[in-house]
Every structure is written in structure tokens, then in C-alpha cells.
PDB file of all heavy atoms in Angstrom:
ATOM      1  N   ILE A  47      -3.893  -2.803  -1.447  1.00 98.00           N
ATOM      2  CA  ILE A  47      -3.438  -3.627  -0.194  1.00 98.00           C
ATOM      3  C   ILE A  47      -1.972  -3.317   0.041  1.00 98.00           C
ATOM      4  O   ILE A  47      -1.170  -3.389  -0.799  1.00 98.00           O
ATOM      5  CB  ILE A  47      -3.588  -5.074  -0.321  1.00 98.00           C
ATOM      6  CG1 ILE A  47      -5.128  -5.395  -0.612  1.00 98.00           C
ATOM      7  CG2 ILE A  47      -3.132  -5.931   0.878  1.00 98.00           C
ATOM      8  CD1 ILE A  47      -6.086  -5.027   0.514  1.00 98.00           C
ATOM      9  N   ALA A  48      -1.573  -2.876   1.223  1.00 98.00           N
ATOM     10  CA  ALA A  48      -0.228  -2.832   1.668  1.00 98.00           C
ATOM     11  C   ALA A  48       0.299  -4.031   2.279  1.00 98.00           C
ATOM     12  O   ALA A  48       1.369  -4.480   2.082  1.00 98.00           O
ATOM     13  CB  ALA A  48      -0.128  -1.632   2.635  1.00 98.00           C
ATOM     14  N   LEU A  49      -0.565  -4.603   3.224  1.00 98.00           N
ATOM     15  CA  LEU A  49      -0.167  -5.911   3.946  1.00 98.00           C
ATOM     16  C   LEU A  49      -1.379  -6.845   3.851  1.00 98.00           C
ATOM     17  O   LEU A  49      -2.418  -6.581   3.986  1.00 98.00           O
ATOM     18  CB  LEU A  49       0.093  -5.608   5.416  1.00 98.00           C
ATOM     19  CG  LEU A  49       1.368  -4.654   5.743  1.00 98.00           C
ATOM     20  CD1 LEU A  49       1.593  -4.574   7.201  1.00 98.00           C
ATOM     21  CD2 LEU A  49       2.657  -5.185   5.076  1.00 98.00           C
ATOM     22  N   ASN A  50      -0.915  -8.071   3.815  1.00 98.00           N
ATOM     23  CA  ASN A  50      -1.866  -9.257   4.117  1.00 98.00           C
ATOM     24  C   ASN A  50      -1.392  -9.813   5.437  1.00 98.00           C
ATOM     25  O   ASN A  50      -0.243  -9.835   5.727  1.00 98.00           O
ATOM     26  CB  ASN A  50      -1.789 -10.262   3.091  1.00 98.00           C
ATOM     27  CG  ASN A  50      -2.509  -9.842   1.671  1.00 98.00           C
ATOM     28  OD1 ASN A  50      -3.524  -9.153   1.737  1.00 98.00           O
ATOM     29  ND2 ASN A  50      -2.000 -10.426   0.612  1.00 98.00           N
ATOM     30  N   ALA A  51      -2.367 -10.276   6.213  1.00 98.00           N
ATOM     31  CA  ALA A  51      -2.032 -10.875   7.464  1.00 98.00           C
ATOM     32  C   ALA A  51      -3.026 -11.988   7.879  1.00 98.00           C
ATOM     33  O   ALA A  51      -4.208 -11.821   7.555  1.00 98.00           O
ATOM     34  CB  ALA A  51      -2.001  -9.827   8.570  1.00 98.00           C
ATOM     35  N   ALA A  52      -2.567 -12.961   8.589  1.00 97.00           N
ATOM     36  CA  ALA A  52      -3.501 -13.973   9.101  1.00 97.00           C
ATOM     37  C   ALA A  52      -4.235 -13.504  10.376  1.00 97.00           C
ATOM     38  O   ALA A  52      -5.397 -13.757  10.627  1.00 97.00           O
ATOM     39  CB  ALA A  52      -2.745 -15.248   9.439  1.00 97.00           C
ATOM     40  N   TRP A  53      -3.456 -12.776  11.175  1.00 97.00           N
ATOM     41  CA  TRP A  53      -4.085 -12.209  12.454  1.00 97.00           C
ATOM     42  C   TRP A  53      -4.095 -10.754  12.317  1.00 97.00           C
ATOM     43  O   TRP A  53      -3.116  -9.979  11.964  1.00 97.00           O
ATOM     44  CB  TRP A  53      -3.131 -12.588  13.692  1.00 97.00           C
ATOM     45  CG  TRP A  53      -3.285 -13.942  14.160  1.00 97.00           C
ATOM     46  CD1 TRP A  53      -4.219 -14.481  15.075  1.00 97.00           C
ATOM     47  CD2 TRP A  53      -2.417 -15.128  13.829  1.00 97.00           C
ATOM     48  NE1 TRP A  53      -4.045 -15.749  15.340  1.00 97.00           N
ATOM     49  CE2 TRP A  53      -2.858 -16.151  14.594  1.00 97.00           C
ATOM     50  CE3 TRP A  53      -1.427 -15.259  12.961  1.00 97.00           C
ATOM     51  CZ2 TRP A  53      -2.319 -17.468  14.466  1.00 97.00           C
ATOM     52  CZ3 TRP A  53      -0.829 -16.548  12.887  1.00 97.00           C
ATOM     53  CH2 TRP A  53      -1.265 -17.645  13.596  1.00 97.00           C
ATOM     54  N   THR A  54      -5.287 -10.195  12.622  1.00 96.00           N
ATOM     55  CA  THR A  54      -5.519  -8.703  12.641  1.00 96.00           C
ATOM     56  C   THR A  54      -6.319  -8.345  13.817  1.00 96.00           C
ATOM     57  O   THR A  54      -6.941  -9.137  14.561  1.00 96.00           O
ATOM     58  CB  THR A  54      -6.344  -8.280  11.408  1.00 96.00           C
ATOM     59  OG1 THR A  54      -7.574  -8.993  11.361  1.00 96.00           O
ATOM     60  CG2 THR A  54      -5.523  -8.562  10.091  1.00 96.00           C
ATOM     61  N   HIS A  55      -6.199  -7.037  14.118  1.00 92.00           N
ATOM     62  CA  HIS A  55      -7.069  -6.607  15.261  1.00 92.00           C
ATOM     63  C   HIS A  55      -7.607  -5.204  14.929  1.00 92.00           C
ATOM     64  O   HIS A  55      -6.952  -4.359  14.256  1.00 92.00           O
ATOM     65  CB  HIS A  55      -6.315  -6.532  16.594  1.00 92.00           C
ATOM     66  CG  HIS A  55      -5.367  -5.492  16.670  1.00 92.00           C
ATOM     67  ND1 HIS A  55      -5.475  -4.296  17.419  1.00 92.00           N
ATOM     68  CD2 HIS A  55      -3.959  -5.428  16.216  1.00 92.00           C
ATOM     69  CE1 HIS A  55      -4.390  -3.551  17.262  1.00 92.00           C
ATOM     70  NE2 HIS A  55      -3.477  -4.176  16.564  1.00 92.00           N
ATOM     71  N   PRO A  56      -8.852  -4.972  15.299  1.00 88.00           N
ATOM     72  CA  PRO A  56      -9.476  -3.654  14.953  1.00 88.00           C
ATOM     73  C   PRO A  56      -8.905  -2.537  15.982  1.00 88.00           C
ATOM     74  O   PRO A  56      -9.623  -2.396  17.034  1.00 88.00           O
ATOM     75  CB  PRO A  56     -10.994  -3.830  15.153  1.00 88.00           C
ATOM     76  CG  PRO A  56     -11.038  -4.980  16.219  1.00 88.00           C
ATOM     77  CD  PRO A  56      -9.824  -5.784  16.008  1.00 88.00           C
ATOM     78  N   ALA A  57      -7.853  -1.943  15.674  1.00 85.00           N
ATOM     79  CA  ALA A  57      -7.251  -1.004  16.448  1.00 85.00           C
ATOM     80  C   ALA A  57      -8.085   0.207  16.898  1.00 85.00           C
ATOM     81  O   ALA A  57      -8.167   0.846  17.878  1.00 85.00           O
ATOM     82  CB  ALA A  57      -5.901  -0.538  15.988  1.00 85.00           C
ATOM     83  N   GLU A  58      -8.893   0.647  15.773  1.00 82.00           N
ATOM     84  CA  GLU A  58      -9.760   1.746  15.912  1.00 82.00           C
ATOM     85  C   GLU A  58     -11.033   1.353  15.014  1.00 82.00           C
ATOM     86  O   GLU A  58     -10.837   0.535  14.105  1.00 82.00           O
ATOM     87  CB  GLU A  58      -9.207   3.070  15.380  1.00 82.00           C
ATOM     88  CG  GLU A  58      -7.889   3.487  16.212  1.00 82.00           C
ATOM     89  CD  GLU A  58      -8.324   4.095  17.646  1.00 82.00           C
ATOM     90  OE1 GLU A  58      -9.384   4.343  17.861  1.00 82.00           O
ATOM     91  OE2 GLU A  58      -7.434   4.198  18.400  1.00 82.00           O
ATOM     92  N   PRO A  59     -12.143   1.927  15.167  1.00 81.00           N
ATOM     93  CA  PRO A  59     -13.350   1.633  14.332  1.00 81.00           C
ATOM     94  C   PRO A  59     -12.863   1.871  12.827  1.00 81.00           C
ATOM     95  O   PRO A  59     -12.392   2.946  12.375  1.00 81.00           O
ATOM     96  CB  PRO A  59     -14.367   2.672  14.745  1.00 81.00           C
ATOM     97  CG  PRO A  59     -14.022   2.996  16.169  1.00 81.00           C
ATOM     98  CD  PRO A  59     -12.526   2.878  16.245  1.00 81.00           C
ATOM     99  N   GLY A  60     -13.077   0.879  11.996  1.00 84.00           N
ATOM    100  CA  GLY A  60     -12.711   0.915  10.582  1.00 84.00           C
ATOM    101  C   GLY A  60     -11.187   0.783  10.299  1.00 84.00           C
ATOM    102  O   GLY A  60     -10.769   0.961   9.162  1.00 84.00           O
ATOM    103  N   LEU A  61     -10.332   0.559  11.341  1.00 90.00           N
ATOM    104  CA  LEU A  61      -8.919   0.434  11.187  1.00 90.00           C
ATOM    105  C   LEU A  61      -8.457  -0.941  11.599  1.00 90.00           C
ATOM    106  O   LEU A  61      -8.218  -1.094  12.808  1.00 90.00           O
ATOM    107  CB  LEU A  61      -8.271   1.639  11.856  1.00 90.00           C
ATOM    108  CG  LEU A  61      -6.754   1.503  11.757  1.00 90.00           C
ATOM    109  CD1 LEU A  61      -6.206   1.708  10.328  1.00 90.00           C
ATOM    110  CD2 LEU A  61      -6.185   2.665  12.619  1.00 90.00           C
ATOM    111  N   ALA A  62      -8.338  -1.900  10.642  1.00 92.00           N
ATOM    112  CA  ALA A  62      -7.772  -3.192  11.070  1.00 92.00           C
ATOM    113  C   ALA A  62      -6.311  -3.239  10.813  1.00 92.00           C
ATOM    114  O   ALA A  62      -5.902  -2.760   9.736  1.00 92.00           O
ATOM    115  CB  ALA A  62      -8.503  -4.272  10.260  1.00 92.00           C
ATOM    116  N   LEU A  63      -5.524  -3.652  11.778  1.00 96.00           N
ATOM    117  CA  LEU A  63      -4.066  -3.675  11.649  1.00 96.00           C
ATOM    118  C   LEU A  63      -3.536  -5.123  11.674  1.00 96.00           C
ATOM    119  O   LEU A  63      -4.082  -5.971  12.373  1.00 96.00           O
ATOM    120  CB  LEU A  63      -3.426  -2.921  12.721  1.00 96.00           C
ATOM    121  CG  LEU A  63      -3.784  -1.395  12.818  1.00 96.00           C
ATOM    122  CD1 LEU A  63      -3.026  -0.751  14.031  1.00 96.00           C
ATOM    123  CD2 LEU A  63      -3.305  -0.733  11.470  1.00 96.00           C
ATOM    124  N   ALA A  64      -2.526  -5.428  10.870  1.00 97.00           N
ATOM    125  CA  ALA A  64      -1.881  -6.640  10.760  1.00 97.00           C
ATOM    126  C   ALA A  64      -1.118  -6.869  12.012  1.00 97.00           C
ATOM    127  O   ALA A  64      -0.515  -5.829  12.461  1.00 97.00           O
ATOM    128  CB  ALA A  64      -1.059  -6.718   9.512  1.00 97.00           C
ATOM    129  N   VAL A  65      -1.029  -8.129  12.494  1.00 93.00           N
ATOM    130  CA  VAL A  65      -0.191  -8.479  13.650  1.00 93.00           C
ATOM    131  C   VAL A  65       0.784  -9.553  13.143  1.00 93.00           C
ATOM    132  O   VAL A  65       0.352 -10.538  12.622  1.00 93.00           O
ATOM    133  CB  VAL A  65      -1.049  -8.989  14.785  1.00 93.00           C
ATOM    134  CG1 VAL A  65      -0.142  -9.388  15.983  1.00 93.00           C
ATOM    135  CG2 VAL A  65      -2.030  -7.842  15.141  1.00 93.00           C
ATOM    136  N   PRO A  66       2.167  -9.442  13.389  1.00 92.00           N
ATOM    137  CA  PRO A  66       3.013 -10.579  13.189  1.00 92.00           C
ATOM    138  C   PRO A  66       2.452 -11.672  14.024  1.00 92.00           C
ATOM    139  O   PRO A  66       1.786 -11.405  15.069  1.00 92.00           O
ATOM    140  CB  PRO A  66       4.280 -10.120  13.568  1.00 92.00           C
ATOM    141  CG  PRO A  66       4.239  -8.586  13.545  1.00 92.00           C
ATOM    142  CD  PRO A  66       2.782  -8.331  13.896  1.00 92.00           C
ATOM    143  N   PRO A  67       2.660 -12.949  13.786  1.00 95.00           N
ATOM    144  CA  PRO A  67       3.841 -13.537  13.097  1.00 95.00           C
ATOM    145  C   PRO A  67       3.801 -13.876  11.716  1.00 95.00           C
ATOM    146  O   PRO A  67       4.715 -14.609  11.146  1.00 95.00           O
ATOM    147  CB  PRO A  67       3.999 -14.796  13.994  1.00 95.00           C
ATOM    148  CG  PRO A  67       2.560 -15.188  14.284  1.00 95.00           C
ATOM    149  CD  PRO A  67       1.769 -13.975  14.302  1.00 95.00           C
ATOM    150  N   LEU A  68       2.682 -13.645  11.007  1.00 98.00           N
ATOM    151  CA  LEU A  68       2.580 -14.107   9.610  1.00 98.00           C
ATOM    152  C   LEU A  68       1.897 -12.964   8.766  1.00 98.00           C
ATOM    153  O   LEU A  68       0.795 -12.644   8.918  1.00 98.00           O
ATOM    154  CB  LEU A  68       1.718 -15.456   9.505  1.00 98.00           C
ATOM    155  CG  LEU A  68       1.571 -16.052   8.124  1.00 98.00           C
ATOM    156  CD1 LEU A  68       2.919 -16.581   7.658  1.00 98.00           C
ATOM    157  CD2 LEU A  68       0.546 -17.120   8.117  1.00 98.00           C
ATOM    158  N   VAL A  69       2.833 -12.399   7.882  1.00 98.00           N
ATOM    159  CA  VAL A  69       2.458 -11.249   7.100  1.00 98.00           C
ATOM    160  C   VAL A  69       2.972 -11.229   5.754  1.00 98.00           C
ATOM    161  O   VAL A  69       4.199 -11.791   5.520  1.00 98.00           O
ATOM    162  CB  VAL A  69       3.066  -9.957   7.832  1.00 98.00           C
ATOM    163  CG1 VAL A  69       2.662  -8.684   7.004  1.00 98.00           C
ATOM    164  CG2 VAL A  69       2.332  -9.790   9.227  1.00 98.00           C
ATOM    165  N   GLY A  70       2.223 -10.816   4.744  1.00 98.00           N
ATOM    166  CA  GLY A  70       2.672 -10.667   3.429  1.00 98.00           C
ATOM    167  C   GLY A  70       2.788  -9.094   3.092  1.00 98.00           C
ATOM    168  O   GLY A  70       2.056  -8.341   3.511  1.00 98.00           O
ATOM    169  N   VAL A  71       3.891  -8.731   2.305  1.00 98.00           N
ATOM    170  CA  VAL A  71       4.193  -7.301   2.173  1.00 98.00           C
ATOM    171  C   VAL A  71       4.111  -7.059   0.618  1.00 98.00           C
ATOM    172  O   VAL A  71       4.815  -7.726  -0.139  1.00 98.00           O
ATOM    173  CB  VAL A  71       5.576  -6.966   2.614  1.00 98.00           C
ATOM    174  CG1 VAL A  71       5.948  -5.486   2.384  1.00 98.00           C
ATOM    175  CG2 VAL A  71       5.724  -7.140   4.216  1.00 98.00           C
ATOM    176  N   HIS A  72       3.296  -6.069   0.296  1.00 98.00           N
ATOM    177  CA  HIS A  72       3.096  -5.614  -1.128  1.00 98.00           C
ATOM    178  C   HIS A  72       4.181  -4.573  -1.449  1.00 98.00           C
ATOM    179  O   HIS A  72       4.135  -3.420  -1.006  1.00 98.00           O
ATOM    180  CB  HIS A  72       1.749  -5.074  -1.241  1.00 98.00           C
ATOM    181  CG  HIS A  72       1.326  -4.848  -2.681  1.00 98.00           C
ATOM    182  ND1 HIS A  72       0.165  -4.066  -3.013  1.00 98.00           N
ATOM    183  CD2 HIS A  72       1.964  -5.114  -3.866  1.00 98.00           C
ATOM    184  CE1 HIS A  72       0.158  -4.072  -4.392  1.00 98.00           C
ATOM    185  NE2 HIS A  72       1.204  -4.640  -4.891  1.00 98.00           N
ATOM    186  N   VAL A  73       5.224  -5.022  -2.086  1.00 98.00           N
ATOM    187  CA  VAL A  73       6.413  -4.125  -2.334  1.00 98.00           C
ATOM    188  C   VAL A  73       6.094  -2.852  -3.133  1.00 98.00           C
ATOM    189  O   VAL A  73       6.595  -1.793  -2.904  1.00 98.00           O
ATOM    190  CB  VAL A  73       7.587  -4.912  -2.930  1.00 98.00           C
ATOM    191  CG1 VAL A  73       8.801  -4.002  -3.345  1.00 98.00           C
ATOM    192  CG2 VAL A  73       8.061  -5.956  -1.958  1.00 98.00           C
ATOM    193  N   ALA A  74       5.131  -3.020  -4.048  1.00 98.00           N
ATOM    194  CA  ALA A  74       4.696  -1.855  -4.836  1.00 98.00           C
ATOM    195  C   ALA A  74       4.096  -0.650  -3.911  1.00 98.00           C
ATOM    196  O   ALA A  74       4.385   0.494  -4.103  1.00 98.00           O
ATOM    197  CB  ALA A  74       3.676  -2.190  -5.845  1.00 98.00           C
ATOM    198  N   ALA A  75       3.408  -1.113  -2.861  1.00 98.00           N
ATOM    199  CA  ALA A  75       2.922  -0.140  -1.910  1.00 98.00           C
ATOM    200  C   ALA A  75       4.074   0.574  -1.123  1.00 98.00           C
ATOM    201  O   ALA A  75       4.059   1.688  -0.860  1.00 98.00           O
ATOM    202  CB  ALA A  75       1.922  -0.827  -0.966  1.00 98.00           C
ATOM    203  N   VAL A  76       4.961  -0.281  -0.656  1.00 98.00           N
ATOM    204  CA  VAL A  76       6.125   0.205   0.089  1.00 98.00           C
ATOM    205  C   VAL A  76       6.893   1.203  -0.785  1.00 98.00           C
ATOM    206  O   VAL A  76       7.288   2.345  -0.340  1.00 98.00           O
ATOM    207  CB  VAL A  76       7.045  -0.948   0.439  1.00 98.00           C
ATOM    208  CG1 VAL A  76       8.337  -0.332   1.193  1.00 98.00           C
ATOM    209  CG2 VAL A  76       6.355  -1.909   1.455  1.00 98.00           C
ATOM    210  N   ARG A  77       7.068   0.893  -2.032  1.00 98.00           N
ATOM    211  CA  ARG A  77       7.663   1.781  -2.998  1.00 98.00           C
ATOM    212  C   ARG A  77       6.907   3.162  -3.087  1.00 98.00           C
ATOM    213  O   ARG A  77       7.600   4.187  -3.059  1.00 98.00           O
ATOM    214  CB  ARG A  77       7.986   1.088  -4.299  1.00 98.00           C
ATOM    215  CG  ARG A  77       8.927   1.661  -5.221  1.00 98.00           C
ATOM    216  CD  ARG A  77       9.118   0.869  -6.469  1.00 98.00           C
ATOM    217  NE  ARG A  77       9.667  -0.403  -6.180  1.00 98.00           N
ATOM    218  CZ  ARG A  77       9.159  -1.623  -6.581  1.00 98.00           C
ATOM    219  NH1 ARG A  77       7.978  -1.643  -7.176  1.00 98.00           N
ATOM    220  NH2 ARG A  77       9.768  -2.802  -6.166  1.00 98.00           N
ATOM    221  N   GLU A  78       5.709   3.052  -3.210  1.00 98.00           N
ATOM    222  CA  GLU A  78       4.928   4.257  -3.399  1.00 98.00           C
ATOM    223  C   GLU A  78       4.925   5.129  -2.212  1.00 98.00           C
ATOM    224  O   GLU A  78       4.994   6.402  -2.242  1.00 98.00           O
ATOM    225  CB  GLU A  78       3.461   3.867  -3.866  1.00 98.00           C
ATOM    226  CG  GLU A  78       2.530   5.097  -3.942  1.00 98.00           C
ATOM    227  CD  GLU A  78       3.055   5.952  -5.141  1.00 98.00           C
ATOM    228  OE1 GLU A  78       3.608   5.386  -6.084  1.00 98.00           O
ATOM    229  OE2 GLU A  78       2.742   7.079  -5.219  1.00 98.00           O
ATOM    230  N   LEU A  79       4.874   4.490  -1.037  1.00 98.00           N
ATOM    231  CA  LEU A  79       4.990   5.290   0.244  1.00 98.00           C
ATOM    232  C   LEU A  79       6.343   5.930   0.435  1.00 98.00           C
ATOM    233  O   LEU A  79       6.353   7.187   0.781  1.00 98.00           O
ATOM    234  CB  LEU A  79       4.672   4.317   1.489  1.00 98.00           C
ATOM    235  CG  LEU A  79       3.360   3.800   1.594  1.00 98.00           C
ATOM    236  CD1 LEU A  79       3.364   2.632   2.727  1.00 98.00           C
ATOM    237  CD2 LEU A  79       2.377   4.865   1.975  1.00 98.00           C
ATOM    238  N   ARG A  80       7.296   5.340  -0.086  1.00 98.00           N
ATOM    239  CA  ARG A  80       8.609   6.024  -0.033  1.00 98.00           C
ATOM    240  C   ARG A  80       8.668   7.272  -0.959  1.00 98.00           C
ATOM    241  O   ARG A  80       9.098   8.315  -0.589  1.00 98.00           O
ATOM    242  CB  ARG A  80       9.697   5.037  -0.439  1.00 98.00           C
ATOM    243  CG  ARG A  80      10.039   3.957   0.649  1.00 98.00           C
ATOM    244  CD  ARG A  80      11.320   3.164   0.207  1.00 98.00           C
ATOM    245  NE  ARG A  80      11.535   1.933   0.927  1.00 98.00           N
ATOM    246  CZ  ARG A  80      12.249   1.919   2.140  1.00 98.00           C
ATOM    247  NH1 ARG A  80      12.624   3.041   2.629  1.00 98.00           N
ATOM    248  NH2 ARG A  80      12.327   0.815   2.721  1.00 98.00           N
ATOM    249  N   ARG A  81       8.103   7.095  -2.063  1.00 98.00           N
ATOM    250  CA  ARG A  81       8.137   8.127  -3.102  1.00 98.00           C
ATOM    251  C   ARG A  81       7.287   9.291  -2.597  1.00 98.00           C
ATOM    252  O   ARG A  81       7.656  10.490  -2.907  1.00 98.00           O
ATOM    253  CB  ARG A  81       7.482   7.669  -4.464  1.00 98.00           C
ATOM    254  CG  ARG A  81       8.628   6.905  -5.334  1.00 98.00           C
ATOM    255  CD  ARG A  81       8.102   6.949  -6.779  1.00 98.00           C
ATOM    256  NE  ARG A  81       6.909   6.098  -6.887  1.00 98.00           N
ATOM    257  CZ  ARG A  81       6.909   4.720  -7.275  1.00 98.00           C
ATOM    258  NH1 ARG A  81       7.977   4.179  -7.631  1.00 98.00           N
ATOM    259  NH2 ARG A  81       5.742   4.102  -7.447  1.00 98.00           N
ATOM    260  N   GLY A  82       6.096   8.987  -1.909  1.00 98.00           N
ATOM    261  CA  GLY A  82       5.258  10.067  -1.472  1.00 98.00           C
ATOM    262  C   GLY A  82       5.652  10.603  -0.114  1.00 98.00           C
ATOM    263  O   GLY A  82       4.900  11.496   0.356  1.00 98.00           O
ATOM    264  N   GLY A  83       6.730  10.190   0.517  1.00 97.00           N
ATOM    265  CA  GLY A  83       7.136  10.701   1.747  1.00 97.00           C
ATOM    266  C   GLY A  83       6.298  10.297   2.867  1.00 97.00           C
ATOM    267  O   GLY A  83       6.209  10.954   4.047  1.00 97.00           O
ATOM    268  N   ARG A  84       5.596   9.106   2.757  1.00 98.00           N
ATOM    269  CA  ARG A  84       4.689   8.646   3.827  1.00 98.00           C
ATOM    270  C   ARG A  84       5.136   7.323   4.399  1.00 98.00           C
ATOM    271  O   ARG A  84       4.343   6.693   5.043  1.00 98.00           O
ATOM    272  CB  ARG A  84       3.307   8.518   3.254  1.00 98.00           C
ATOM    273  CG  ARG A  84       2.555   9.875   2.910  1.00 98.00           C
ATOM    274  CD  ARG A  84       1.286   9.777   2.386  1.00 98.00           C
ATOM    275  NE  ARG A  84       0.668  11.170   2.092  1.00 98.00           N
ATOM    276  CZ  ARG A  84       0.162  11.869   3.072  1.00 98.00           C
ATOM    277  NH1 ARG A  84       0.053  11.419   4.324  1.00 98.00           N
ATOM    278  NH2 ARG A  84      -0.331  13.106   2.824  1.00 98.00           N
ATOM    279  N   TYR A  85       6.379   6.973   4.076  1.00 98.00           N
ATOM    280  CA  TYR A  85       6.891   5.688   4.603  1.00 98.00           C
ATOM    281  C   TYR A  85       7.366   5.841   6.088  1.00 98.00           C
ATOM    282  O   TYR A  85       8.039   6.774   6.468  1.00 98.00           O
ATOM    283  CB  TYR A  85       8.061   5.269   3.855  1.00 98.00           C
ATOM    284  CG  TYR A  85       8.778   4.008   4.341  1.00 98.00           C
ATOM    285  CD1 TYR A  85       8.276   2.772   4.030  1.00 98.00           C
ATOM    286  CD2 TYR A  85       9.888   4.170   5.118  1.00 98.00           C
ATOM    287  CE1 TYR A  85       8.932   1.648   4.458  1.00 98.00           C
ATOM    288  CE2 TYR A  85      10.592   2.987   5.529  1.00 98.00           C
ATOM    289  CZ  TYR A  85      10.119   1.751   5.223  1.00 98.00           C
ATOM    290  OH  TYR A  85      10.669   0.665   5.801  1.00 98.00           O
ATOM    291  N   LEU A  86       6.934   4.915   6.839  1.00 98.00           N
ATOM    292  CA  LEU A  86       7.514   4.721   8.287  1.00 98.00           C
ATOM    293  C   LEU A  86       8.070   3.386   8.442  1.00 98.00           C
ATOM    294  O   LEU A  86       7.508   2.405   7.822  1.00 98.00           O
ATOM    295  CB  LEU A  86       6.428   5.036   9.402  1.00 98.00           C
ATOM    296  CG  LEU A  86       6.108   6.518   9.625  1.00 98.00           C
ATOM    297  CD1 LEU A  86       4.956   6.896   8.750  1.00 98.00           C
ATOM    298  CD2 LEU A  86       5.795   6.712  11.165  1.00 98.00           C
ATOM    299  N   SER A  87       9.156   3.253   9.175  1.00 97.00           N
ATOM    300  CA  SER A  87       9.788   1.941   9.391  1.00 97.00           C
ATOM    301  C   SER A  87       8.746   0.967   9.940  1.00 97.00           C
ATOM    302  O   SER A  87       7.866   1.277  10.753  1.00 97.00           O
ATOM    303  CB  SER A  87      10.925   2.124  10.461  1.00 97.00           C
ATOM    304  OG  SER A  87      11.345   0.890  10.947  1.00 97.00           O
ATOM    305  N   PRO A  88       8.893  -0.319   9.599  1.00 98.00           N
ATOM    306  CA  PRO A  88       8.066  -1.396  10.175  1.00 98.00           C
ATOM    307  C   PRO A  88       8.331  -1.634  11.661  1.00 98.00           C
ATOM    308  O   PRO A  88       7.634  -2.483  12.208  1.00 98.00           O
ATOM    309  CB  PRO A  88       8.372  -2.519   9.296  1.00 98.00           C
ATOM    310  CG  PRO A  88       9.719  -2.364   8.779  1.00 98.00           C
ATOM    311  CD  PRO A  88       9.950  -0.870   8.543  1.00 98.00           C
TER     312      PRO A  88
END
């Protein structure tokens, strides 16, 4: 899990995306994305 969210929307089939205003962030995932060169700004 990268993010937990109370509100989500199915942006594409099989792709649910978190929507602010209430989100939890898994810092280990953020760290791994940075290491792997796959991090994009929030």
C-alpha cells in the first residue's frame, strides 16, 4: 500500500486513486519509489 484514503475514485478500470482531503501516507513506499527512480511529486 502506498496510500490509504477515505475517498477514492476509479480513474480507470482497475485503478482506484486516493482523493484528498483525508489521506494516509506509507513512508516506506515513498522511500522505495525515490530509490527506484519512480517518485513523482504529490
Side-chain angles (χ1 to χ4, degrees):
I47 300 298
L49 299 181
N50 285 329
W53 281 273
T54 57
H55 72 102
E58 301 286 346
L61 179 62
L63 296 179
V65 180
L68 184 64
V69 175
V71 179
H72 191 189
V73 169
V76 175
R77 196 175 295 126
E78 183 61 30
L79 291 171
R80 289 187 189 278
R81 278 198 295 261
R84 294 180 176 276
Y85 174 82
L86 283 92
S87 164

